[in-house]
Amino acid sequence: MSKPVLVIKFGTASITHKSGELNEAVLQEIARQVAILHQDYHVVLVSSGAVGAGKGFIKEYKGTITERKAAAAIGNPLLLAKYTNYFSQYDIAIAQSLCERQHFANRNQFLQLKETYQELWDNGIIPIANENDVVSNLELKFSDNDELATLIATGFGASALLLCTSVGGLLDDQKQIIPFVEQIDEKILGFVDTDKSALGLGGMVSKLNYTRLATRMGIKVVIFGMNKPDGIIEAVAEKIGTVFAPQEASLTARQKWLGSGSIIAGNVVVDAGAVEALNKRKSLLAVGITAVDGEFERGEVFEILDQSTHVIAIARARESSVVIAQNLKTQNFEVANADEIVLL
């Protein structure tokens, strides 16, 4: 790609008023600043707000799944019309990209999505992505748009992922923004307020979970706010918000897809010897597994947990969970090949 990829996610609370109506002043600022960045980056906007924009049209809205789907169907064209209006002032066309979780889990579908985005960028068009709420299966939904933005960023090898939040960054216990985080550990997680916003699905816990995944895939993440002049541009320049350092990652594009885009079908718990072998880039053998949880078939993806139940890797199964459970004491029985294991 001729330009680096920049993924910017805006949550519902960032672009709407408390009533749910779109905050057009913010949308106008997004268009102005992104138009500047558009010159140097292939930009993807991941924008919530469709449900918030459309729910006012649903009588006695209570937030049921069906009502949310209907609100999204109403709100999506309203949201895109506003973006179209403001970006047209800079002679930039936008394209709607309604995504479903399966588009990232299926390698062929993901590659088609990637080719489509490249075609849009080649023609100077900015894709605006959102979940296809109208038809998304409850069992296979994105947890929120933080996940969608992260999957796009990791799958496309973005240089940076920006997550906009109403508080402007990760706050310490004195409610001050932490400017830089080298690594997300228990201390950093301890600063998180578990409250969710009134309008959106996710909160800071979600952002940190997906930030950790993105940084482990070698992507810089900035959590920032739009409450300062040139907020997006300043965030890209690491002058505001919280900057999370990317970790070293020597992964192929396919491994990045496997580690982030796959739908997890189950997990296995491994002993200390297996953990050591995996860290040496060895394959996972059945004798190192102490427990199998969930049902998965050959070719599906599962998580590998250590004895403390921390997820240490993601892998593609060479056999079903039933066959693996039957062969836990079988010597040299390969459960997952080293080439299809991604350490986290």
Side-chain angles (χ1 to χ4, degrees):
M1 296 180 182
S2 56
K3 298 179 183 178
V5 175
L6 174 64
V7 179
I8 313 171
K9 181 261 180 179
F10 297 96
T12 301
S14 299
I15 63 170
T16 61
H17 297 289
K18 290 184 178 179
S19 62
E21 296 176 354
L22 293 171
N23 188 331
E24 297 203 32
V26 172
L27 296 182
Q28 191 169 17
E29 267 302 292
I30 290 172
R32 182 186 69 81
Q33 295 180 51
V34 171
I36 296 171
L37 294 168
H38 178 59
Q39 301 172 40
D40 300 313
Y41 291 91
H42 286 318
V43 179
V44 181
L45 294 185
V46 178
S47 179
S48 304
V51 174
K55 70 178 186 178
F57 294 86
I58 305 297
K59 297 177 181 178
E60 299 180 0
Y61 180 84
K62 297 182 180 63
T64 65
I65 293 295
T66 303
E67 287 176 335
R68 286 184 60 84
K69 288 177 179 289
I74 298 165
N76 263 319
L78 296 176
L79 180 64
L80 265 291
K82 295 297 184 183
Y83 275 123
T84 298
N85 176 50
Y86 290 121
F87 273 103
S88 67
Q89 297 174 17
Y90 305 96
D91 295 322
I92 296 174
I94 57 116
Q96 185 176 49
S97 173
L98 294 178
C99 300
E100 298 171 39
R101 187 62 181 81
Q102 65 198 37
H103 296 156
F104 293 87
N106 183 296
R107 179 68 173 165
N108 288 332
Q109 288 188 4
F110 169 72
L111 291 176
Q112 290 175 35
L113 178 68
K114 201 169 183 179
E115 289 175 359
T116 301
Y117 275 30
Q118 186 62 57
E119 186 67 27
L120 292 171
W121 290 327
D122 288 345
N123 287 276
I125 300 168
I126 295 176
I128 298 183
N130 194 4
E131 177 162 19
N132 193 358
D133 289 296
V134 178
V135 298
S136 282
N137 186 306
L138 183 62
E139 300 294 325
L140 296 176
K141 282 179 65 64
F142 298 101
S143 62
D144 52 44
N145 271 349
D146 292 324
E147 180 181 16
L148 172 56
T150 302
L151 294 184
I152 291 174
T154 55
F156 285 49
S159 62
L161 167 63
L162 272 58
L163 301 174
C164 185
T165 176
S166 56
V167 296
L170 176 64
L171 306 181
D172 61 19
D173 49 13
Q174 302 299 314
K175 302 303 179 184
Q176 299 298 308
I177 292 176
I178 302 170
F180 182 78
V181 173
E182 182 69 38
Q183 190 168 5
I184 297 175
D185 53 21
E186 293 302 320
K187 180 181 177 181
I188 294 299
L189 292 172
F191 290 128
V192 176
D193 183 348
T194 56
D195 288 345
K196 294 182 178 181
S197 68
L199 293 171
L201 288 175
M204 191 58 73
V205 171
S206 169
K207 286 178 176 57
L208 287 186
N209 283 335
Y210 291 111
T211 292
R212 179 157 53 183
L213 174 59
T215 55
R216 285 175 174 174
M217 297 292 171
I219 298 169
K220 177 181 73 176
V221 179
V222 185
I223 297 179
F224 76 106
M226 288 291 289
N227 53 350
K228 293 187 178 181
D230 293 328
I232 306 171
I233 295 171
E234 295 284 88
V236 172
E238 302 182 18
K239 294 181 179 179
I240 66 167
T242 304
V243 179
F244 295 83
Q247 309 299 306
E248 288 190 17
S250 56
L251 301 174
T252 65
R254 189 178 187 284
Q255 286 174 322
K256 288 182 179 180
W257 164 78
L258 179 65
S260 60
S262 303
I263 293 175
I264 306 301
N267 66 67
V268 303
V269 180
V270 299
D271 59 26
V275 171
E276 184 179 354
L278 291 172
N279 286 329
K280 293 179 180 178
R281 307 293 182 182
K282 300 288 184 65
S283 297
L284 175 63
L285 302 180
V287 291
I289 296 175
T290 60
V292 179
D293 185 33
E295 296 182 4
F296 51 89
E297 299 300 322
R298 180 175 183 173
E300 291 190 314
V301 177
F302 63 91
E303 292 177 330
I304 302 174
L305 283 58
D306 62 16
Q307 292 292 299
S308 300
T309 68
H310 293 138
V311 179
I312 61 170
I314 291 173
R316 184 177 300 282
R318 298 204 63 166
E319 296 291 349
S320 70
S321 56
V322 173
V323 174
I324 292 169
Q326 293 171 344
N327 286 275
L328 294 186
K329 295 184 179 180
T330 304
Q331 294 292 322
N332 299 319
F333 186 91
E334 190 174 81
V335 172
N337 187 269
D339 291 338
E340 295 201 313
I341 298 174
V342 179
L343 297 179
L344 299 177

